[in-house]
Amino acid sequence: MLTSHTIKNFFSGTNKLERLWLMAKIEFKLRYYENNLGLLWALLKPLMDVAIYYMVFKVILKSDIPAFASFLFIGLILWNFFIESTSGTIQILQTKKYLYEYSNMNKLEIYLSTLMSNTIGFFFNLIMFIIFLNFIESDMMGLSLLNFWIVPLFLNLFILSLAMSLILSCIYVVAKDITQIWQVFTSGLFFLSPIFYKLSLFKQALPSFEYANPIAGIIINARRVMMENNLPDLELLVFDFGYAIFLLFVGFILLNKLGAKAAEKL
């Protein structure tokens, strides 16, 4: 099968994890060390996003959601990881062509190292969120073992982001307009996800839409386990993993069919 060929190539060889981790660290450092603020920017950006949306939705539109800053914070860091990992990799087969043409690197390693680099940034932001939630939001319940559910939820997000990265970058090989199409699509999806809205209001306006939008489901469950000290909605979690695994399968097929021709077409 096409997908088994991709996976077999990935697992062949030695020191894969060590090489992936090294590449991820290098990419993460290069991304922020070129800025004057350095790694501090990785922490400041989500806080600035929260401040802007807090001003709009809490101060101006008078949202009555409790702990609204934390409510925004967790939604935005999940969303930003998804956007950085998909929009940022659409042209990856072109921009990192030298890695798979002139070295023994498997194409899948290039995607994984990029997403792992984004993962480092995500966990910086998650730590900031936990500190903010537990030491600044005075009306929250504090840390709980249920918070560890964020790990499988993030794994779900990682698989979904990897899947969309594979699909979008392979489509880019034959249709470069996918960059603009994805920008428009994600702009709409941003406002069709419960990043700013109460869950009850979101469900009332878009009944069962959380099952059609895997990002919505991940955000909903992340708030349940991190802010409400509840178990995740397991039915929603199963749906979201199902989406992610199916799309990853599609991504592997496209990587074998179109990714193999990337060097000659780009």
Side-chain angles (χ1 to χ4, degrees):
M1 286 181 67
L2 293 168
T3 52
S4 63
H5 176 69
T6 298
I7 297 170
K8 183 179 178 181
N9 283 346
F10 172 70
F11 283 107
S12 62
T14 58
N15 299 325
K16 291 282 186 183
L17 289 177
E18 183 180 348
R19 184 163 63 183
L20 281 172
W21 178 240
L22 179 61
M23 287 178 61
K25 287 194 296 183
I26 291 171
E27 184 163 341
F28 181 77
K29 289 177 180 178
L30 287 175
R31 183 184 309 168
Y32 293 108
Y33 282 179
E34 291 179 356
N35 299 318
N36 290 332
L37 293 176
L39 287 174
L40 184 60
W41 181 247
L43 303 176
L44 284 178
K45 185 182 181 301
L47 291 175
M48 292 169 66
D49 289 342
V50 169
I52 292 167
Y53 291 119
Y54 185 92
M55 180 65 69
V56 172
F57 286 91
K58 186 72 173 180
V59 177
I60 299 175
L61 297 179
K62 306 296 184 185
S63 173
D64 60 348
I65 297 174
F68 186 63
S70 295
F71 182 90
L72 274 176
F73 204 152
I74 188 67
L76 285 171
I77 62 174
L78 291 165
W79 175 262
N80 286 340
F81 177 86
F82 177 70
I83 290 299
E84 288 174 5
S85 299
T86 54
S87 298
T89 54
I90 291 179
Q91 299 181 35
I92 197 170
L93 291 174
Q94 179 180 24
T95 57
K96 298 193 175 180
K97 187 175 172 180
Y98 61 94
L99 286 175
Y100 61 83
E101 273 203 305
Y102 303 112
S103 72
N104 64 343
M105 284 193 66
N106 182 280
K107 290 187 182 74
L108 188 56
E109 289 181 70
I110 300 171
Y111 291 91
L112 285 172
S113 63
T114 301
L115 264 70
M116 285 171 66
S117 171
N118 293 340
T119 299
I120 297 171
F122 173 83
F123 277 102
F124 267 113
N125 294 330
L126 183 63
I127 291 168
M128 287 292 293
F129 165 77
I130 292 170
I131 293 170
F132 187 89
L133 179 67
N134 290 279
F135 295 99
I136 297 177
E137 298 280 16
S138 58
D139 56 343
M140 300 309 294
M141 289 179 284
L143 296 172
S144 162
L145 289 176
L146 291 170
N147 297 157
F148 285 103
W149 274 99
I150 195 64
V151 176
L153 289 171
F154 178 74
L155 177 62
N156 187 178
L157 180 64
F158 188 96
I159 296 171
L160 179 66
S161 301
L162 174 61
M164 291 309 305
S165 296
L166 291 168
I167 292 169
L168 292 167
S169 60
C170 289
I171 293 175
Y172 181 82
V173 172
V174 294
K176 293 181 174 53
D177 291 345
I178 192 63
T179 302
Q180 288 73 34
I181 293 170
W182 185 244
Q183 286 175 352
V184 173
F185 178 79
T186 52
S187 294
L189 191 64
F190 181 67
F191 290 101
L192 292 174
S193 300
I195 296 172
F196 315 108
Y197 322 118
K198 270 185 177 179
L199 183 56
S200 57
L201 183 64
F202 180 78
K203 287 185 173 182
Q204 182 182 349
L206 298 168
S208 301
F209 190 70
E210 66 269 27
Y211 289 95
N213 177 1
I215 294 296
I218 292 169
I219 291 172
I220 289 167
N221 273 332
R223 287 184 179 132
R224 285 175 64 93
V225 303
M226 296 303 296
M227 296 184 66
E228 301 170 15
N229 283 346
N230 284 327
L231 286 168
D233 182 327
L234 295 179
E235 183 180 2
L236 193 55
L237 182 61
V238 169
F239 263 87
D240 290 340
F241 263 108
Y243 275 118
I245 292 168
F246 171 74
L247 290 171
L248 186 61
F249 181 78
V250 173
F252 282 148
I253 292 175
L254 289 177
L255 185 62
N256 277 291
K257 285 189 172 181
L258 298 177
K261 302 174 184 178
E264 59 190 65
K265 288 200 172 188
L266 291 172

